[in-house]
Amino acid sequence: MKDTDIFIHLFKTLHSYYFYDVNKNAIVKINESIYESLDKGENRYEDANIKKLKERGFLDEIEKPVEILHPLTDKIDSYLQNNLSLLILQITQNCNLRCKYCIYSGSYTNRVHTNKRMSFETVQKAVDFYYEHSKNTEIASISFYGGEPLLEFQLIKDTVNYCRKKFNGKQLNFNMTTNATLFTPEIMDFLAKNKINLTISLDGPQKIHDQGRVFADNKKGTFKKIIKNLEEFQHRYPDYVDTISFNAVFDEGNNFKDSSDFFSFEFFKKATVTFTTVSNRDSKEARDIQEEFTIHYKYELFKMFLHCLKRLEKEDVSKLMFVHMNRLKNSVHEHLRKPFLFEGKTHPSGPCVPGMNRLFVTVDGEFFPCERVSEKNTVFNIGNLEKGFEKEKVKELLNIGRYTKKQCSLCWAMGYCDSCMADMGDGDKLIANKRLERCASIRYTTDELMKEYCVLRENGYNFES
């Protein structure tokens, strides 16, 4: 497609033609003639159909770049004062595993595992801070984070008891991600009794899981221990175990199908299973993606689409693919309903509100926007329990699009960008070029999502169902 001065993106499926109008945040189906005219950028104003589209407010030209400013910038004080959503407590920096792809393994530009733990005094201060700054939040949510959080089981019990008293009369949810190797009858009883929203890290069948997830003391794989614990847990609390979620980290050098098939077993029938791939963010070494991994992934995705169109039964589809359908619905269908420009101002959609969505409190009481940023980069440190938020730093991280405002203001995929601050860290700075390195990939992914969305709708799929 050739560049034009109209703020649109042209794309086509096997049978249809479309443009995405950035100013209107709308996908419009067109005929081949209009598509070719727009693609060539020639005589577009002489076409009667194009004139009708312009009369309806589509195909506006870019008279000047829009101003890159996050619409919530002026509301930061209020949001941080009353609307904190999730508190994440780093109760320990230690772990009984040494997963080879862990961001704290030494293979990434980040801290490494240490014996540091959060004191109960710090827990109390963090919970009190969250309590005072979440008045408008209907459900209080607190997550336990490590390392491996169950290394500090007594601290977790004390924290839960303290929170129950502090938030008396308000719905309170607790979350935890664990490697599931430390389960004891006492721990199982506690987790089930308190209805902890539990996510277990499990990467697939033993051969794949044990490649990366090994014990710290003997480097042996952890698969057998986890399965044994899960079987005992299911025997004791079958209803609770049905609520447990699983998260897998896939090495793209492995076979996607092997792990996908593993999670189709009866044990995982009711479980929510999500997956990510081994992170390249801040990695000291680049990772290769095997063609076989991509082929099997796309085949499973194709089967998911056939199921959506009632041409394949649910049990014949990898449950890992349902996450992709949620992404299509949230990232395209729901997103098309939202306004994009606010009085000539907008911002790429990547950043959340730092500190509000996921306030991450370290063992030392330092504040970070979430658990995914590097704790070694001081630009991500947005305050602490003693002084509260550094609001100017929060505003800077909220407005990372200003680092690349020229490129962002002219980018058709700006409203669907998922580049966040964590992608930009370098030492103690935010680097614009690190953000720009992902642009081509983001535009490609957005184009693919829009095509998938339109193909499903062309074939009768209802995203409202």
Side-chain angles (χ1 to χ4, degrees), residues 328-366:
L328 267 181
K329 183 171 183 178
N330 295 326
S331 298
V332 182
H333 183 72
E334 297 295 338
H335 200 79
L336 287 168
R337 301 179 175 187
K338 301 175 183 178
F340 175 62
L341 294 172
F342 302 86
E343 298 179 351
K345 301 176 183 178
T346 192
H347 192 279
S349 61
C352 61
V353 179
M356 187 194 82
N357 294 68
R358 306 174 67 87
L359 176 60
F360 180 56
V361 182
T362 70
V363 291
D364 300 315
E366 298 297 317

Side-chain angles (χ1 to χ4, degrees), residues 319-335:
K319 68 185 311 170
L320 298 178
M321 293 296 105
F322 287 91
V323 174
H324 187 84
M325 290 307 300
N326 289 334
R327 184 183 183 189
L328 267 181
K329 183 171 183 178
N330 295 326
S331 298
V332 182
H333 183 72
E334 297 295 338
H335 200 79

Side-chain angles (χ1 to χ4, degrees), residues 36 70 77 86 88 147 168-169 223 236 240 243 247 262 299 307 339 351 376 392 394 426 430 433 435 443 449:
E36 291 180 350
H70 199 286
D77 291 359
L86 172 65
I88 306 173
N168 185 32
F223 181 86
R236 297 172 69 90
Y240 174 73
T243 70
N247 182 65
F262 172 79
Y299 177 63
H307 166 67
K376 293 184 68 174
E392 291 306 311
V394 172
D426 189 348
L430 295 178
N433 282 342
R435 177 176 171 82
R443 283 192 290 268
L449 288 172

